[in-house]
Amino acid sequence: AVRILHRPPAVRPCRPSAAAHAAMAAASAAGAMARGLRGATFAAARQGVWQRCVCAAPAQARCLSSLTVDGLRAPVYEKVPIIQEDPSVVLAEMPSLVLGGAPPVRSTSSKVAGISLDQPIVVEESSSPSAGTSAASSWGMTMPETRFGELSNGVRIAAVDRKGMCASVGLFVHTGSRYEKAESACIPHALELMAFRSSAHLSHLRTLKTLEQLGAAASCRVGREDILYQFDALREYVPVVLPLMLANVLCPSILEEEIQAARDTAVEMRQGLEENTEGLLCELLHVAAYKGNTLGHSLYAEEEDVSKFTIENLNEYIRRACRPERLIVVGVNVGFEDLCKWTARSFAEFDGLTQAQKQLPAIEPPEQAVYTGGDFRLERPNPLCHLMLGWEVEGGWNGTMLAAVTVLQMFLGGGG
């Protein structure tokens, strides 16, 4: 259900058709930059669809007929230059941090200083209508706008500021096991296990201590078609944490001891997957559906694959697959101008590296996924039988039956 605030008079929201649901799903998938930022970015991506779905009654037929996947408007990217700046200028705009020692003495000059918790606080309200309107706007009662930008090296940026205190920023890398050969399909998983470790900025320990002091939460998730780095922090700390996130693909140190730790973790994760019946079934379903090609490549490294976790293989993969044109930075509760500025500054420091990546051979078009079907049976000493069935759906998330299948899934007891 979607609640529309401040509905204009004499305007009725039309019920979304299957095409509207498909359009929203397509917007979410195109904004899939953000599977880890699912809640906020999906709402931002579908915002344009629902705005188009609100129309006057006589024009409802025309409105619904235009709500198709092909009818979605492509985002308009604002050009953002990468400029070499004096380091003192950049440092002057960094937020003041106290990562050690005594905290600074804060001023106590406040209107509520000295008022106990059992006493009411009187707030003066203005009777001016314009003041009420501006107050409503300042509290986020207006629909936030999603803006898009593109750096001169090809990195794309999307941001929506909902005026929240906590910002969520993600780095979407358009790569994964689906684009690799069978022998190298384990490398994206290795990249996930090496996330937020040593870089040209900080060592692994200092990176962890910095995130801890800032109260930031960092994570990385690998998929068959994408890798998503994400952090959540107070919005004023975005200039500090953003370079640490981008360092995963710009300047990772890739030390031998960290690779060995990733090998050990990969073996433990595989053992844990064997105990997670539902997760194992989903993995084996892909292997059976697309046997021997693209989506059928294993998402997680097998125990015999950990020998491929080497400094050379990881560096080669980052140079080849993590090019600027395959990167998307997504921010929620962060200003568009601020996100563009600090992203450009992060890439300006390593502009020579990104220019060298452009000299590499062009990336070959991805191999077409071929649905093979079949079955996969695994014997385990378990008194229960776990079974999963799957079918190929023409068009996938962009297919015409998406809305019907989603409703059927709800009736069968599944999620939305």
Short mmCIF file of all heavy atoms in Angstrom, two decimals, residues 219-277:
data_model
loop_
_atom_site.label_atom_id
_atom_site.label_comp_id
_atom_site.label_asym_id
_atom_site.label_seq_id
_atom_site.Cartn_x
_atom_site.Cartn_y
_atom_site.Cartn_z
N SER A 219 29.28 -2.96 5.63
CA SER A 219 28.99 -4.32 5.19
C SER A 219 29.29 -4.45 3.70
O SER A 219 29.43 -3.45 2.98
CB SER A 219 27.53 -4.70 5.47
OG SER A 219 26.65 -3.86 4.74
N CYS A 220 29.37 -5.68 3.25
CA CYS A 220 29.56 -5.97 1.83
C CYS A 220 28.78 -7.24 1.50
O CYS A 220 28.79 -8.20 2.29
CB CYS A 220 31.04 -6.17 1.51
SG CYS A 220 31.37 -6.61 -0.23
N ARG A 221 28.08 -7.22 0.38
CA ARG A 221 27.30 -8.37 -0.06
C ARG A 221 27.59 -8.64 -1.52
O ARG A 221 27.59 -7.74 -2.35
CB ARG A 221 25.81 -8.10 0.12
CG ARG A 221 24.93 -9.25 -0.35
CD ARG A 221 23.52 -8.77 -0.64
NE ARG A 221 23.47 -7.65 -1.55
CZ ARG A 221 23.67 -7.75 -2.87
NH1 ARG A 221 23.97 -8.91 -3.40
NH2 ARG A 221 23.58 -6.67 -3.63
N VAL A 222 27.88 -9.90 -1.82
CA VAL A 222 28.15 -10.29 -3.21
C VAL A 222 26.95 -11.00 -3.78
O VAL A 222 26.26 -11.77 -3.09
CB VAL A 222 29.41 -11.18 -3.27
CG1 VAL A 222 29.19 -12.50 -2.54
CG2 VAL A 222 29.82 -11.45 -4.71
N GLY A 223 26.65 -10.71 -5.03
CA GLY A 223 25.58 -11.38 -5.76
C GLY A 223 26.11 -11.94 -7.06
O GLY A 223 27.28 -11.75 -7.40
N ARG A 224 25.25 -12.59 -7.79
CA ARG A 224 25.68 -13.15 -9.07
C ARG A 224 25.90 -12.06 -10.12
O ARG A 224 26.64 -12.28 -11.08
CB ARG A 224 24.65 -14.16 -9.57
CG ARG A 224 24.74 -15.50 -8.87
CD ARG A 224 23.72 -16.50 -9.43
NE ARG A 224 24.10 -17.86 -9.09
CZ ARG A 224 23.90 -18.43 -7.91
NH1 ARG A 224 23.30 -17.74 -6.95
NH2 ARG A 224 24.30 -19.67 -7.68
N GLU A 225 25.27 -10.92 -9.95
CA GLU A 225 25.39 -9.85 -10.95
C GLU A 225 25.86 -8.53 -10.36
O GLU A 225 25.91 -7.53 -11.07
CB GLU A 225 24.04 -9.64 -11.64
CG GLU A 225 23.55 -10.86 -12.40
CD GLU A 225 22.20 -10.64 -13.07
OE1 GLU A 225 21.23 -10.34 -12.36
OE2 GLU A 225 22.14 -10.77 -14.30
N ASP A 226 26.20 -8.50 -9.10
CA ASP A 226 26.62 -7.23 -8.50
C ASP A 226 27.35 -7.49 -7.19
O ASP A 226 27.22 -8.56 -6.59
CB ASP A 226 25.41 -6.33 -8.24
CG ASP A 226 24.43 -6.97 -7.27
OD1 ASP A 226 24.62 -6.81 -6.05
OD2 ASP A 226 23.48 -7.64 -7.73
N ILE A 227 28.12 -6.51 -6.78
CA ILE A 227 28.74 -6.47 -5.46
C ILE A 227 28.34 -5.14 -4.84
O ILE A 227 28.44 -4.09 -5.49
CB ILE A 227 30.28 -6.59 -5.53
CG1 ILE A 227 30.68 -7.90 -6.20
CG2 ILE A 227 30.89 -6.50 -4.14
CD1 ILE A 227 32.18 -8.06 -6.37
N LEU A 228 27.86 -5.17 -3.61
CA LEU A 228 27.39 -3.95 -2.96
C LEU A 228 28.15 -3.71 -1.67
O LEU A 228 28.11 -4.54 -0.76
CB LEU A 228 25.89 -4.03 -2.66
CG LEU A 228 25.30 -2.83 -1.93
CD1 LEU A 228 25.35 -1.59 -2.81
CD2 LEU A 228 23.89 -3.10 -1.46
N TYR A 229 28.88 -2.61 -1.60
CA TYR A 229 29.49 -2.12 -0.37
C TYR A 229 28.54 -1.08 0.23
O TYR A 229 27.97 -0.27 -0.50
CB TYR A 229 30.85 -1.48 -0.63
CG TYR A 229 31.88 -2.40 -1.24
CD1 TYR A 229 32.03 -2.51 -2.62
CD2 TYR A 229 32.73 -3.17 -0.43
CE1 TYR A 229 32.97 -3.35 -3.19
CE2 TYR A 229 33.66 -4.01 -0.99
CZ TYR A 229 33.79 -4.10 -2.36
OH TYR A 229 34.72 -4.95 -2.91
N GLN A 230 28.40 -1.09 1.53
CA GLN A 230 27.43 -0.19 2.15
C GLN A 230 27.92 0.22 3.53
O GLN A 230 28.59 -0.55 4.23
CB GLN A 230 26.07 -0.87 2.28
CG GLN A 230 25.00 0.00 2.94
CD GLN A 230 23.69 -0.74 3.14
OE1 GLN A 230 23.53 -1.85 2.64
NE2 GLN A 230 22.79 -0.15 3.89
N PHE A 231 27.59 1.44 3.91
CA PHE A 231 27.82 1.88 5.29
C PHE A 231 26.67 2.76 5.74
O PHE A 231 26.02 3.43 4.93
CB PHE A 231 29.16 2.60 5.45
CG PHE A 231 29.21 3.99 4.88
CD1 PHE A 231 28.71 5.07 5.60
CD2 PHE A 231 29.77 4.24 3.65
CE1 PHE A 231 28.75 6.35 5.07
CE2 PHE A 231 29.83 5.52 3.12
CZ PHE A 231 29.31 6.57 3.84
N ASP A 232 26.40 2.73 7.02
CA ASP A 232 25.41 3.59 7.67
C ASP A 232 26.12 4.40 8.74
O ASP A 232 26.81 3.82 9.59
CB ASP A 232 24.28 2.77 8.30
CG ASP A 232 23.55 1.92 7.28
OD1 ASP A 232 23.22 2.46 6.20
OD2 ASP A 232 23.31 0.73 7.55
N ALA A 233 25.96 5.70 8.71
CA ALA A 233 26.61 6.57 9.68
C ALA A 233 25.82 7.87 9.78
O ALA A 233 24.94 8.16 8.95
CB ALA A 233 28.06 6.86 9.28
N LEU A 234 26.13 8.68 10.79
CA LEU A 234 25.55 10.01 10.87
C LEU A 234 25.95 10.80 9.62
O LEU A 234 27.08 10.69 9.14
CB LEU A 234 26.02 10.73 12.13
CG LEU A 234 25.54 10.12 13.46
CD1 LEU A 234 26.14 10.89 14.63
CD2 LEU A 234 24.02 10.10 13.55
N ARG A 235 25.02 11.58 9.12
CA ARG A 235 25.23 12.21 7.82
C ARG A 235 26.44 13.14 7.80
O ARG A 235 27.08 13.31 6.75
CB ARG A 235 23.98 12.95 7.37
CG ARG A 235 23.49 14.03 8.30
CD ARG A 235 22.15 14.58 7.83
NE ARG A 235 22.25 15.17 6.51
CZ ARG A 235 21.25 15.24 5.65
NH1 ARG A 235 20.07 14.73 5.97
NH2 ARG A 235 21.40 15.81 4.47
N GLU A 236 26.82 13.71 8.95
CA GLU A 236 27.98 14.59 8.94
C GLU A 236 29.29 13.85 8.79
O GLU A 236 30.33 14.46 8.51
CB GLU A 236 28.01 15.45 10.22
CG GLU A 236 28.05 14.65 11.50
CD GLU A 236 26.68 14.51 12.11
OE1 GLU A 236 25.70 14.45 11.36
OE2 GLU A 236 26.60 14.47 13.36
N TYR A 237 29.27 12.51 8.97
CA TYR A 237 30.49 11.72 8.85
C TYR A 237 30.66 11.09 7.47
O TYR A 237 31.61 10.33 7.26
CB TYR A 237 30.51 10.61 9.91
CG TYR A 237 30.61 11.13 11.32
CD1 TYR A 237 30.01 10.45 12.37
CD2 TYR A 237 31.30 12.29 11.62
CE1 TYR A 237 30.09 10.92 13.68
CE2 TYR A 237 31.39 12.78 12.90
CZ TYR A 237 30.78 12.08 13.94
OH TYR A 237 30.86 12.56 15.22
N VAL A 238 29.79 11.41 6.53
CA VAL A 238 29.92 10.86 5.18
C VAL A 238 31.26 11.19 4.54
O VAL A 238 31.89 10.33 3.92
CB VAL A 238 28.75 11.34 4.29
CG1 VAL A 238 28.99 11.01 2.82
CG2 VAL A 238 27.45 10.70 4.75
N PRO A 239 31.80 12.43 4.67
CA PRO A 239 33.11 12.72 4.07
C PRO A 239 34.24 11.86 4.63
O PRO A 239 35.27 11.70 3.96
CB PRO A 239 33.33 14.21 4.41
CG PRO A 239 31.97 14.76 4.62
CD PRO A 239 31.19 13.65 5.24
N VAL A 240 34.07 11.29 5.81
CA VAL A 240 35.12 10.47 6.41
C VAL A 240 35.00 9.02 5.95
O VAL A 240 35.99 8.37 5.58
CB VAL A 240 35.05 10.53 7.95
CG1 VAL A 240 36.15 9.68 8.58
CG2 VAL A 240 35.15 11.97 8.42
N VAL A 241 33.78 8.49 5.93
CA VAL A 241 33.59 7.07 5.66
C VAL A 241 33.55 6.78 4.16
O VAL A 241 33.94 5.69 3.73
CB VAL A 241 32.29 6.58 6.34
CG1 VAL A 241 32.18 5.07 6.25
CG2 VAL A 241 32.25 7.01 7.79
N LEU A 242 33.11 7.73 3.35
CA LEU A 242 33.00 7.50 1.91
C LEU A 242 34.34 7.11 1.28
O LEU A 242 34.39 6.13 0.51
CB LEU A 242 32.42 8.74 1.22
CG LEU A 242 32.22 8.65 -0.29
CD1 LEU A 242 31.24 7.52 -0.64
CD2 LEU A 242 31.71 9.96 -0.86
N PRO A 243 35.46 7.79 1.56
CA PRO A 243 36.74 7.34 0.98
C PRO A 243 37.15 5.94 1.44
O PRO A 243 37.78 5.20 0.68
CB PRO A 243 37.74 8.40 1.48
CG PRO A 243 36.91 9.59 1.80
CD PRO A 243 35.62 9.06 2.30
N LEU A 244 36.79 5.56 2.68
CA LEU A 244 37.11 4.22 3.14
C LEU A 244 36.33 3.17 2.37
O LEU A 244 36.84 2.07 2.12
CB LEU A 244 36.81 4.10 4.65
CG LEU A 244 37.62 5.02 5.58
CD1 LEU A 244 37.22 4.76 7.03
CD2 LEU A 244 39.10 4.80 5.38
N MET A 245 35.10 3.48 1.98
CA MET A 245 34.31 2.54 1.19
C MET A 245 34.84 2.45 -0.23
O MET A 245 35.00 1.34 -0.77
CB MET A 245 32.84 2.97 1.20
CG MET A 245 31.92 2.02 0.44
SD MET A 245 30.20 2.57 0.38
CE MET A 245 30.36 3.99 -0.72
N LEU A 246 35.14 3.58 -0.85
CA LEU A 246 35.64 3.57 -2.22
C LEU A 246 37.03 2.96 -2.31
O LEU A 246 37.44 2.48 -3.38
CB LEU A 246 35.66 4.99 -2.78
CG LEU A 246 34.30 5.66 -2.94
CD1 LEU A 246 34.46 7.10 -3.41
CD2 LEU A 246 33.43 4.89 -3.92
N ALA A 247 37.77 2.95 -1.19
CA ALA A 247 39.11 2.37 -1.19
C ALA A 247 39.09 0.87 -1.48
O ALA A 247 40.12 0.30 -1.87
CB ALA A 247 39.80 2.62 0.15
N ASN A 248 37.94 0.21 -1.30
CA ASN A 248 37.85 -1.22 -1.59
C ASN A 248 38.13 -1.53 -3.05
O ASN A 248 38.60 -2.64 -3.36
CB ASN A 248 36.46 -1.74 -1.21
CG ASN A 248 36.24 -1.81 0.28
OD1 ASN A 248 36.81 -2.65 0.97
ND2 ASN A 248 35.42 -0.91 0.82
N VAL A 249 37.84 -0.59 -3.95
CA VAL A 249 38.08 -0.81 -5.37
C VAL A 249 39.12 0.14 -5.93
O VAL A 249 39.60 -0.06 -7.05
CB VAL A 249 36.77 -0.68 -6.17
CG1 VAL A 249 35.78 -1.75 -5.77
CG2 VAL A 249 36.16 0.70 -6.01
N LEU A 250 39.49 1.19 -5.18
CA LEU A 250 40.46 2.16 -5.68
C LEU A 250 41.89 1.84 -5.23
O LEU A 250 42.82 1.87 -6.04
CB LEU A 250 40.09 3.57 -5.20
CG LEU A 250 39.01 4.30 -6.00
CD1 LEU A 250 38.70 5.65 -5.36
CD2 LEU A 250 39.45 4.48 -7.44
N CYS A 251 42.06 1.53 -3.96
CA CYS A 251 43.42 1.38 -3.44
C CYS A 251 43.51 0.34 -2.34
O CYS A 251 44.04 0.63 -1.25
CB CYS A 251 43.94 2.73 -2.95
SG CYS A 251 42.86 3.52 -1.70
N PRO A 252 43.02 -0.89 -2.54
CA PRO A 252 43.17 -1.91 -1.50
C PRO A 252 44.62 -2.38 -1.42
O PRO A 252 45.31 -2.49 -2.45
CB PRO A 252 42.24 -3.03 -1.98
CG PRO A 252 42.21 -2.88 -3.46
CD PRO A 252 42.31 -1.40 -3.73
N SER A 253 45.07 -2.66 -0.22
CA SER A 253 46.46 -3.12 -0.05
C SER A 253 46.60 -4.59 -0.43
O SER A 253 47.64 -4.99 -0.99
CB SER A 253 46.90 -2.91 1.40
OG SER A 253 46.89 -1.54 1.74
N ILE A 254 45.62 -5.42 -0.13
CA ILE A 254 45.61 -6.87 -0.43
C ILE A 254 46.88 -7.51 0.12
O ILE A 254 47.79 -7.89 -0.63
CB ILE A 254 45.44 -7.13 -1.94
CG1 ILE A 254 44.28 -6.33 -2.50
CG2 ILE A 254 45.23 -8.61 -2.21
CD1 ILE A 254 43.99 -6.59 -3.96
N LEU A 255 46.95 -7.61 1.41
CA LEU A 255 48.09 -8.22 2.08
C LEU A 255 47.93 -9.73 2.16
O LEU A 255 46.81 -10.25 2.21
CB LEU A 255 48.26 -7.63 3.48
CG LEU A 255 48.37 -6.09 3.54
CD1 LEU A 255 48.49 -5.64 4.99
CD2 LEU A 255 49.54 -5.60 2.70
N GLU A 256 49.05 -10.44 2.22
CA GLU A 256 49.01 -11.90 2.21
C GLU A 256 48.30 -12.45 3.45
O GLU A 256 47.53 -13.41 3.35
CB GLU A 256 50.45 -12.46 2.15
CG GLU A 256 50.53 -13.97 2.06
CD GLU A 256 49.82 -14.53 0.83
OE1 GLU A 256 49.94 -13.92 -0.25
OE2 GLU A 256 49.13 -15.57 0.97
N GLU A 257 48.52 -11.84 4.61
CA GLU A 257 47.86 -12.34 5.82
C GLU A 257 46.34 -12.13 5.76
O GLU A 257 45.58 -12.92 6.30
CB GLU A 257 48.43 -11.67 7.07
CG GLU A 257 48.35 -10.16 7.09
CD GLU A 257 49.59 -9.48 6.53
OE1 GLU A 257 50.28 -10.12 5.71
OE2 GLU A 257 49.86 -8.33 6.91
N GLU A 258 45.92 -11.07 5.09
CA GLU A 258 44.48 -10.84 4.94
C GLU A 258 43.86 -11.83 3.96
O GLU A 258 42.71 -12.25 4.13
CB GLU A 258 44.23 -9.40 4.51
CG GLU A 258 44.65 -8.38 5.54
CD GLU A 258 44.51 -6.95 5.07
OE1 GLU A 258 44.26 -6.74 3.87
OE2 GLU A 258 44.62 -6.04 5.91
N ILE A 259 44.62 -12.20 2.93
CA ILE A 259 44.13 -13.21 2.00
C ILE A 259 44.00 -14.56 2.69
O ILE A 259 43.01 -15.29 2.47
CB ILE A 259 45.08 -13.31 0.78
CG1 ILE A 259 45.01 -12.03 -0.05
CG2 ILE A 259 44.74 -14.52 -0.07
CD1 ILE A 259 45.88 -12.05 -1.29
N GLN A 260 44.95 -14.89 3.56
CA GLN A 260 44.86 -16.16 4.29
C GLN A 260 43.63 -16.18 5.20
O GLN A 260 42.95 -17.20 5.31
CB GLN A 260 46.13 -16.38 5.11
CG GLN A 260 46.19 -17.72 5.84
CD GLN A 260 46.03 -18.90 4.90
OE1 GLN A 260 46.70 -18.98 3.87
NE2 GLN A 260 45.14 -19.81 5.25
N ALA A 261 43.34 -15.03 5.82
CA ALA A 261 42.14 -14.95 6.65
C ALA A 261 40.88 -15.12 5.80
O ALA A 261 39.91 -15.76 6.24
CB ALA A 261 42.10 -13.61 7.38
N ALA A 262 40.89 -14.59 4.57
CA ALA A 262 39.75 -14.76 3.68
C ALA A 262 39.59 -16.22 3.27
O ALA A 262 38.46 -16.72 3.14
CB ALA A 262 39.92 -13.88 2.44
N ARG A 263 40.70 -16.92 3.06
CA ARG A 263 40.62 -18.35 2.73
C ARG A 263 39.96 -19.13 3.86
O ARG A 263 39.07 -19.97 3.62
CB ARG A 263 42.02 -18.90 2.46
CG ARG A 263 42.73 -18.31 1.24
CD ARG A 263 44.01 -19.07 0.95
NE ARG A 263 44.77 -18.47 -0.12
CZ ARG A 263 45.97 -17.90 0.04
NH1 ARG A 263 46.53 -17.87 1.24
NH2 ARG A 263 46.60 -17.37 -0.99
N ASP A 264 40.37 -18.86 5.08
CA ASP A 264 39.80 -19.56 6.24
C ASP A 264 38.30 -19.25 6.37
O ASP A 264 37.49 -20.14 6.65
CB ASP A 264 40.54 -19.17 7.51
CG ASP A 264 42.01 -19.56 7.48
OD1 ASP A 264 42.36 -20.47 6.70
OD2 ASP A 264 42.81 -18.94 8.22
N THR A 265 37.95 -17.98 6.16
CA THR A 265 36.54 -17.60 6.27
C THR A 265 35.70 -18.26 5.19
O THR A 265 34.55 -18.65 5.43
CB THR A 265 36.40 -16.08 6.18
OG1 THR A 265 37.22 -15.46 7.18
CG2 THR A 265 34.96 -15.64 6.40
N ALA A 266 36.25 -18.39 3.97
CA ALA A 266 35.51 -19.01 2.88
C ALA A 266 35.18 -20.46 3.20
O ALA A 266 34.07 -20.94 2.91
CB ALA A 266 36.32 -18.93 1.58
N VAL A 267 36.12 -21.18 3.80
CA VAL A 267 35.88 -22.57 4.18
C VAL A 267 34.80 -22.64 5.26
O VAL A 267 33.89 -23.48 5.21
CB VAL A 267 37.18 -23.23 4.66
CG1 VAL A 267 36.91 -24.64 5.18
CG2 VAL A 267 38.20 -23.27 3.53
N GLU A 268 34.86 -21.73 6.23
CA GLU A 268 33.85 -21.72 7.29
C GLU A 268 32.46 -21.37 6.75
O GLU A 268 31.45 -21.95 7.16
CB GLU A 268 34.25 -20.72 8.38
CG GLU A 268 35.54 -21.09 9.12
CD GLU A 268 35.98 -20.01 10.08
OE1 GLU A 268 35.26 -18.98 10.17
OE2 GLU A 268 37.01 -20.17 10.74
N MET A 269 32.40 -20.43 5.80
CA MET A 269 31.12 -20.05 5.21
C MET A 269 30.51 -21.21 4.43
O MET A 269 29.30 -21.42 4.45
CB MET A 269 31.29 -18.84 4.29
CG MET A 269 31.54 -17.53 5.02
SD MET A 269 31.58 -16.12 3.89
CE MET A 269 29.91 -16.14 3.25
N ARG A 270 31.35 -21.97 3.74
CA ARG A 270 30.84 -23.11 2.98
C ARG A 270 30.27 -24.16 3.93
O ARG A 270 29.22 -24.76 3.65
CB ARG A 270 31.96 -23.71 2.14
CG ARG A 270 31.47 -24.68 1.08
CD ARG A 270 30.68 -23.96 0.02
NE ARG A 270 29.81 -24.87 -0.72
CZ ARG A 270 29.09 -24.52 -1.77
NH1 ARG A 270 29.09 -23.26 -2.18
NH2 ARG A 270 28.33 -25.38 -2.40
N GLN A 271 30.96 -24.38 5.04
CA GLN A 271 30.45 -25.32 6.03
C GLN A 271 29.15 -24.82 6.65
O GLN A 271 28.22 -25.61 6.89
CB GLN A 271 31.50 -25.56 7.11
CG GLN A 271 32.77 -26.23 6.59
CD GLN A 271 33.87 -26.29 7.64
OE1 GLN A 271 33.76 -25.67 8.70
NE2 GLN A 271 34.94 -27.01 7.33
N GLY A 272 29.06 -23.51 6.89
CA GLY A 272 27.83 -22.95 7.42
C GLY A 272 26.68 -23.05 6.43
O GLY A 272 25.52 -23.24 6.82
N LEU A 273 26.99 -22.92 5.12
CA LEU A 273 25.95 -23.04 4.11
C LEU A 273 25.37 -24.45 4.08
O LEU A 273 24.17 -24.64 3.83
CB LEU A 273 26.51 -22.67 2.73
CG LEU A 273 25.53 -22.68 1.55
CD1 LEU A 273 24.44 -21.65 1.75
CD2 LEU A 273 26.27 -22.42 0.24
N GLU A 274 26.20 -25.44 4.34
CA GLU A 274 25.71 -26.81 4.37
C GLU A 274 24.69 -27.01 5.48
O GLU A 274 23.80 -27.86 5.38
CB GLU A 274 26.89 -27.77 4.55
CG GLU A 274 27.89 -27.79 3.40
CD GLU A 274 27.35 -28.51 2.18
OE1 GLU A 274 26.40 -29.30 2.35
OE2 GLU A 274 27.86 -28.28 1.07
N GLU A 275 24.82 -26.24 6.54
CA GLU A 275 23.89 -26.36 7.66
C GLU A 275 22.65 -25.49 7.48
O GLU A 275 21.66 -25.68 8.17
CB GLU A 275 24.60 -25.97 8.96
CG GLU A 275 25.82 -26.84 9.27
CD GLU A 275 26.60 -26.34 10.47
OE1 GLU A 275 26.16 -25.32 11.06
OE2 GLU A 275 27.62 -26.95 10.82
N ASN A 276 22.71 -24.53 6.55
CA ASN A 276 21.58 -23.64 6.27
C ASN A 276 20.80 -24.22 5.09
O ASN A 276 21.11 -23.95 3.93
CB ASN A 276 22.08 -22.23 5.97
CG ASN A 276 20.95 -21.27 5.66
OD1 ASN A 276 19.77 -21.59 5.83
ND2 ASN A 276 21.30 -20.07 5.20
N THR A 277 19.79 -25.01 5.39
CA THR A 277 19.09 -25.76 4.34
C THR A 277 18.46 -24.83 3.30
O THR A 277 18.59 -25.06 2.09
CB THR A 277 18.00 -26.65 4.96
OG1 THR A 277 18.60 -27.48 5.95
CG2 THR A 277 17.35 -27.50 3.89
#
